[in-house]
């Protein structure tokens, strides 16, 4: 692209504007990494909780499995920062997406801290905002499996109010498989 | 009477840069160079002109040991771009 002044007519100006907008239109980052990382971490935590509560005496220590989320958060932040530097551009939707997930994390954080007060029935509370963030991410990147993943979380979240306090961990684990892992692997495949 | 087109925006490369920056939060120099298909020298000169006019904000930092230039459109730049598009509409109206 050169720096021409005189021979640029209004039609050409409009073409430049629409060309450039089209160039950046498909630039939304759609990394499967986060869904796979968190899918495995939370599935493992849920299965761990179910196992400790159902088959062992270590019920007081069981919630410690959630501390696995701390390294997962650190990995997430390092990865996100590297991706942003690598992409060379930050779109408005990237920014919205980032704040959507940070907002979701803030929403569910107290339930992990004060989980004991609600008999560790955290899945009923956390799956709903996770469903909303997943559903909206699917809308943002226009990826149907993620939209269906979000709906899965909403159904699972509702189901957690019906099943027993121990079984809700199994519901949570299954929701993670269909809400995060399956769409995550499909997204990875589509990006390749 | 037809509105005058902003001479600072009425150039192929500068209009291209501003159109990209209108659509994103921020963009690095290499990204702008790739998308506008321009040379580093020419892009650098045009970015400086837009920056001097207050249309864009340029932030210089380092990515490892390499210098990193990140550009962002300013409120003044958004207003100028909108006025340019409005003026353009008058020229195109049948």
């Amino acid at each position: 692209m050169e720096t021409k002044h005189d021979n640029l007519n209004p039609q050409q100006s409009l073409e430049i504007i629409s060309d450039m907008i089209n160039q950046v239109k498909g630039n939304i980052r759609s990394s499967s990494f986060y869904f796979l990382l968190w899918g495995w971490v939370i599935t493992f935590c849920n299965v761990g909780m179910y196992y400790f509560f159902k088959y062992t005496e270590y019920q007081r220590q069981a919630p410690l499995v959630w501390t696995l989320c701390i390294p997962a958060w650190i990995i997430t932040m390092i990865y996100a920062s590297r991706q942003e530097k690598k992409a060379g551009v930050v779109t408005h939707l990237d920014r919205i997406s980032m704040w959507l997930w940070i907002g979701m994390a803030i929403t569910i954080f107290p339930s992990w801290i004060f989980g004991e007060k609600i008999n560790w029935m955290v899945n009923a509370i956390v799956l709903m905002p996770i469903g909303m963030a997943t559903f909206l991410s699917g809308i943002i990147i226009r990826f149907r499996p993620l939209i269906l993943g979000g709906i899965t979380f909403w159904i699972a979240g509702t189901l957690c109010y019906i099943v027993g306090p121990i079984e809700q961990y199994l519901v949570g684990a299954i929701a993670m498989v269909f809400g995060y892992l399956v769409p995550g692997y499909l997204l990875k495949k589509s990006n390749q | 009477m037809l509105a005058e087109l902003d001479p600072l925006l009425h150039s192929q490369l500068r209009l291209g840069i501003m159109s990209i920056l209108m659509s994103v939060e921020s963009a690095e120099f290499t990204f702008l160079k790739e998308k506008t298909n321009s040379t580093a020298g020419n892009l650098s000169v045009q970015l400086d002109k837009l920056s001097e006019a207050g249309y864009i904000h340029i932030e210089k930092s380092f990515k490892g040991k390499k210098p990193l230039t990140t550009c962002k459109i300013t409120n003044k730049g958004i207003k100028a771009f909108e006025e340019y598009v409005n003026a353009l509409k008058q020229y195109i109206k049948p």
Side-chain angles (χ1 to χ4, degrees):
Chain A
M1 198 176 268
E2 288 167 30
T3 322
K4 293 168 191 162
H5 299 260
D6 305 328
N7 55 354
L8 197 63
N9 64 43
Q11 193 56 44
Q12 284 171 319
S13 291
L14 272 186
E15 277 167 20
I16 292 169
I17 294 169
S18 72
D19 260 13
M20 290 299 115
I21 290 171
N22 277 332
Q23 287 260 14
V24 288
K25 206 166 66 179
N27 233 286
I28 307 156
R29 284 199 293 277
S30 53
S31 178
S32 56
F33 175 81
Y34 307 105
F35 296 106
L36 296 180
L37 171 72
W38 284 99
W40 282 115
V41 166
I42 303 181
T43 302
F44 181 82
C45 291
N46 269 304
V47 172
M49 287 290 276
Y50 179 76
Y51 174 78
F52 281 117
F53 271 91
K54 183 101 177 170
Y55 301 108
T56 72
E57 301 288 307
Y58 305 109
Q59 293 175 355
R60 276 192 68 82
Q61 289 79 16
L64 285 173
V65 296
W66 293 105
T67 53
L68 205 60
C69 293
I70 297 168
W73 260 112
I74 295 168
I75 294 168
T76 299
M77 285 190 282
I78 294 171
Y79 183 84
S81 150
R82 284 190 182 164
Q83 284 298 103
E84 194 169 313
K85 283 177 187 161
K86 215 164 99 182
V89 65
V90 180
T91 65
H92 304 305
L93 284 175
D94 287 331
R95 195 59 82 211
I96 290 169
S97 195
M98 181 187 86
W99 283 108
L100 171 69
W101 285 99
I102 291 175
M104 191 279 298
I106 294 168
T107 308
I108 65 175
F109 187 69
S111 63
W112 276 332
I113 299 294
F114 302 106
E116 201 171 6
K117 289 182 186 288
I118 50 167
N119 197 26
W120 293 106
M121 286 284 285
V122 288
N123 275 317
I125 298 168
V126 304
L127 290 180
M128 299 309 261
I130 289 177
M132 187 189 69
T134 309
F135 182 85
L136 288 177
S137 285
I139 300 278
I140 288 170
I141 66 167
R142 294 185 190 142
F143 192 64
R144 195 185 291 263
L146 218 44
I147 295 172
L148 295 174
I151 295 169
T152 306
F153 282 122
W154 283 333
I155 295 168
T158 310
L159 207 62
C160 283
Y161 287 99
I162 299 163
V163 300
I166 297 175
E167 284 69 30
Q168 52 126 8
Y169 298 119
L170 269 190
V171 174
I174 294 165
M176 280 296 150
V177 171
F178 290 100
Y180 271 3
L181 291 175
V182 172
Y185 281 111
L186 290 172
L187 187 58
K188 191 178 177 183
K189 203 177 160 194
S190 79
N191 283 346
Q192 281 166 356
Chain B
M1 192 182 158
L2 292 175
E4 199 187 328
L5 291 168
D6 185 343
L8 205 61
L9 293 182
H10 200 57
S11 103
Q12 211 171 333
L13 183 50
R14 288 196 295 270
L15 184 59
I17 295 166
M18 290 293 282
S19 305
I20 292 176
L21 293 179
M22 273 296 284
S23 324
V24 300
E25 282 269 323
S26 64
E28 287 176 17
F29 184 87
T30 45
F31 181 86
L32 290 172
K33 185 172 164 282
E34 184 200 319
K35 297 296 175 191
T36 56
N37 200 20
S38 58
T39 62
N42 195 9
L43 179 63
S44 185
V45 171
Q46 304 315 321
L47 286 177
D48 281 343
K49 282 185 185 174
L50 291 169
S51 172
E52 278 164 22
Y55 287 3
I56 63 168
H57 174 71
I58 299 176
E59 199 182 290
K60 293 189 188 248
S61 58
F62 283 91
K63 189 196 248 181
K65 286 180 180 174
K66 288 182 185 169
L68 176 71
T69 304
T70 310
C71 306
K72 223 174 176 175
I73 198 161
T74 60
N75 286 339
K76 190 179 174 188
I78 293 172
K79 196 165 175 267
F81 187 85
E82 283 169 353
E83 279 169 6
Y84 180 84
V85 172
N86 284 337
L88 215 54
K89 280 182 197 164
Q90 294 181 18
Y91 284 88
I92 289 167
K93 266 181 194 166

